[in-house]
Amino acid sequence: MPGFYARTSKATIPATMQSKPLPTSEQPVVAIIGGGVSGGGVAYHLARADCGKRAAIVVFEPRAELGRGLAYDTADPAHRINVPAAKMSLQPGDLGEFQAWIEARDAVADDPEAKQPEGLLFPRRRLFGDYVASLLTPLLEDGSVRHCRATVTGVERRAGRWSILDDKGGVTEADIVAIATSHPPPAAPGRLATRLAAHPRFVADTTKPGALDVVRPHDRVLVIGNGLTAADVIASLADRGHDGPVTAISRRGLRSRGHAPVPQPLFGDFVSNAAHSAISLLAAIRTAIKAAKAEGISWHGVIDQVRAQGYDLWQALPVAERRRLVRHLRPYWDVHRFRIAPQVEAVLDTAIASGRLDILAGSVADARIEDELILCTLQPRHQRQPLERRYDAVVVTTGPAHGGILETQPWLAALAASGHLSLDPTGLGLACNQHSQAIGPSGHADPSLLISGPLARGTFGELMGLPQVTEHAFFIAGEIAEKLRTSATNRHPA
């Protein structure tokens, strides 16, 4: 894997550069739908790969810059990367590139809280977007990658090629399409979306810019969900000066964990005798955590080893066991695997210690609007008696609704209806094979339609963390490059 280190400026690409005409049909065209870290990573690695004949790479992304996506386009200063900078990179073979990029520019000079006492860097999330955008800048400038700043509205198969329609009226013909769209937005549980839609402080989607602006400093807030997004919301409210009481409710009341005080070595071997059921995998992890503790190693080292061996572990599980794991164990995995930044953890700890934050295991049984208030009936876990509570604002942070991905964008639903896409049986995204080629309802894979990033996690397992997303982007780029080389060889045999 390459370890190229690009030192470039953060200049914004002029609109004129983005509107270069597409090449003639003699040049193969690769369309990437979605220009976040996953789509931007595919474009970056493909532009630098040996494809036999240079392909035209077109990335459809409505944002001004490629490489940011939903996660790294935030301007909220409370939003921080939740992995040490030394472990984040667009280069699978050079994990230290992002930190080197930061140090070369003194990029956290205005962020004294970024550096932790033990030396690890947890900068603001937007900075990683700056880094990825800077790597893509020279490729945009020399025409290796074209940024089509538009939203895709339709994708159709016509005469052996893909026709991609966008909201600017454009039609792009492509030979290969990589779907690298973002996670689906969160879905409000039960009837809440309908019952509370008219309330001005019901926040159903925190990913929308300015979503939390409606929450007032002293409001009583109910946060539905208790994962990374909930932690971000609570930290953001605190940063804005919010001092009202907050209740965070989730089915199991599990709070996202923080990082170990010092880095922990990987511990355990889960591959040599891989588990074939969710319960046996759980037993193996618990045994390893107990053994690690005896050697002075925290659970972090065990979970990190499970993550490192995640692909092989996932492949060893039958589909029924994958479903069981997702249904019963995923919440426990998520809170241990996806850790919050130390700065965010400190905010939550302070709020809990002061009594301002209450974490509750249970569900929202009902809710209604009464004047300016939101009256909620909360059902605590393992209790018969519900709780009646009044809130000024309700914020949904339940996480991506992966099972509803086909309904989030009409062109995805249309591709499914035309037999090109189907949901993964685990409910984690879109079905694809080991080459990440999309699988339709017939069970056949299409070599010209690939799934990149978290939407492929039903096949590949752990594909939510940044290191895995960038590794998968590199993998997808390699798959496409091989197809282009094979195509060029077939067109021009020796």
Side-chain angles (χ1 to χ4, degrees):
M1 297 179 181
F4 177 73
Y5 178 26
R7 297 175 182 267
T8 57
S9 68
K10 297 187 289 184
T12 301
I13 305 304
T16 53
M17 187 179 302
Q18 299 169 5
S19 59
K20 289 182 178 179
L22 287 173
T24 65
S25 59
E26 294 182 0
Q27 185 179 14
V29 178
V30 177
I32 302 169
I33 305 176
V37 173
S38 179
V42 173
Y44 173 78
H45 291 299
L46 181 60
R48 301 168 67 244
D50 176 14
C51 300
K53 182 178 181 180
R54 182 176 174 180
I57 303 170
V58 187
V59 184
F60 291 85
E61 171 55 57
R63 291 180 175 83
E65 286 185 301
L66 296 183
R68 293 191 179 279
L70 189 63
Y72 304 104
D73 196 33
T74 173
D76 193 323
H79 289 175
R80 295 187 175 272
I81 62 172
N82 62 322
V83 177
K87 294 184 178 181
M88 294 185 67
S89 172
L90 197 63
Q91 316 288 357
D94 184 7
L95 294 183
E97 184 183 80
F98 177 43
Q99 178 145 339
W101 182 92
I102 292 173
E103 293 171 351
R105 292 158 178 76
D106 197 16
V108 294
D110 62 343
D111 182 16
E113 294 182 7
K115 192 169 186 178
Q116 295 300 293
E118 68 277 9
L120 296 178
L121 280 178
F122 289 87
R124 292 169 180 143
R125 204 178 298 163
R126 187 173 181 84
L127 193 62
F128 187 78
D130 292 345
Y131 151 74
V132 178
S134 77
L135 295 186
L136 286 161
T137 294
L139 301 177
L140 290 162
E141 289 175 340
D142 68 14
S144 300
V145 175
R146 178 176 180 266
H147 178 189
C148 181
R149 193 176 176 186
T151 298
V152 169
T153 57
V155 180
E156 302 172 3
R157 191 72 168 159
R158 297 176 182 172
R161 301 187 86 200
W162 294 99
S163 293
I164 303 167
L165 292 69
D166 62 59
D167 63 350
K168 302 294 177 63
V171 179
T172 303
E173 301 293 326
D175 300 281
I176 297 173
V177 172
I179 297 175
T181 56
S182 181
H183 308 297
R191 297 175 294 170
L192 287 187
T194 303
R195 301 290 293 271
L196 301 182
H199 197 280
R201 285 178 293 283
F202 174 60
V203 183
D205 184 0
T206 61
T207 64
K208 293 181 179 179
L212 297 179
D213 291 350
V214 297
V215 181
R216 301 167 300 191
H218 309 305
D219 278 347
R220 295 162 294 181
V221 180
L222 174 66
V223 177
I224 304 175
N226 205 18
L228 291 179
T229 305
D232 277 345
V233 164
I234 295 167
S236 294
L237 290 175
D239 190 67
R240 296 160 178 252
H242 179 262
D243 58 8
V246 178
T247 301
I249 187 170
S250 62
R251 190 175 299 276
R252 296 170 180 82
L254 300 173
R255 172 190 162 187
S256 290
R257 307 298 181 89
H259 293 265
V262 295
Q264 300 291 296
L266 298 179
F267 187 93
D269 176 12
F270 303 94
V271 174
S272 298
N273 186 23
H276 297 288
S277 71
I279 193 66
S280 58
L281 177 58
L282 176 61
I285 293 173
R286 285 175 169 169
T287 299
I289 289 176
K290 185 176 180 180
K293 184 177 181 181
E295 296 188 23
I297 299 172
S298 76
W299 58 264
H300 300 79
V302 176
I303 296 299
D304 288 345
Q305 179 72 306
V306 175
R307 177 188 59 77
Q309 298 178 344
Y311 175 80
D312 292 325
L313 290 172
W314 189 251
Q315 302 311 310
L317 293 173
V319 171
E321 291 301 316
R322 294 181 185 181
R323 288 174 174 163
R324 186 170 288 112
L325 188 151
V326 169
R327 186 166 61 250
H328 297 294
L329 300 181
R330 177 182 165 193
Y332 298 94
W333 168 255
D334 285 353
V335 298
H336 288 86
R337 163 66 183 94
F338 302 109
R339 299 158 201 162
I340 53 178
Q343 302 94 324
V344 176
E345 184 179 23
V347 171
L348 267 61
D349 287 344
T350 299
I352 291 172
S354 67
R356 195 173 67 82
L357 172 60
D358 180 31
I359 295 178
L360 181 65
S363 60
V364 182
D366 199 6
R368 69 182 190 276
I369 299 173
E370 186 175 285
D371 297 326
E372 290 190 1
L373 297 177
I374 299 175
L375 276 59
C376 294
T377 302
L378 309 181
Q379 183 59 61
R381 188 177 175 88
H382 304 310
Q383 293 183 26
R384 291 185 178 182
Q385 189 65 31
L387 302 175
E388 302 294 335
R389 293 287 186 268
R390 285 177 165 79
Y391 296 99
D392 303 294
V394 171
V395 183
V396 178
T397 66
T398 50
H402 293 100
I405 181 62
L406 294 178
E407 287 73 42
T408 60
Q409 300 187 61
W411 63 271
L412 287 174
L415 278 176
S418 60
H420 296 290
L421 289 179
S422 60
L423 289 175
D424 180 84
T426 61
L428 292 177
L430 299 174
C432 61
N433 63 12
Q434 295 298 320
H435 294 280
S436 226
Q437 299 168 356
I439 297 175
S442 67
H444 296 296
D446 188 332
S448 68
L449 184 63
L450 292 93
I451 312 298
S452 178
L455 291 181
R457 65 190 295 219
T459 296
F460 292 90
E462 178 56 54
L463 252 180
M464 291 290 281
L466 191 280
Q468 288 71 45
V469 170
T470 55
E471 287 171 7
H472 195 245
F474 182 84
F475 167 76
I476 294 291
E479 290 287 307
I480 296 174
E482 179 58 30
K483 295 177 191 299
L484 296 174
R485 283 193 296 269
T486 301
S487 176
T489 300
N490 291 339
R491 284 198 304 268
H492 307 288

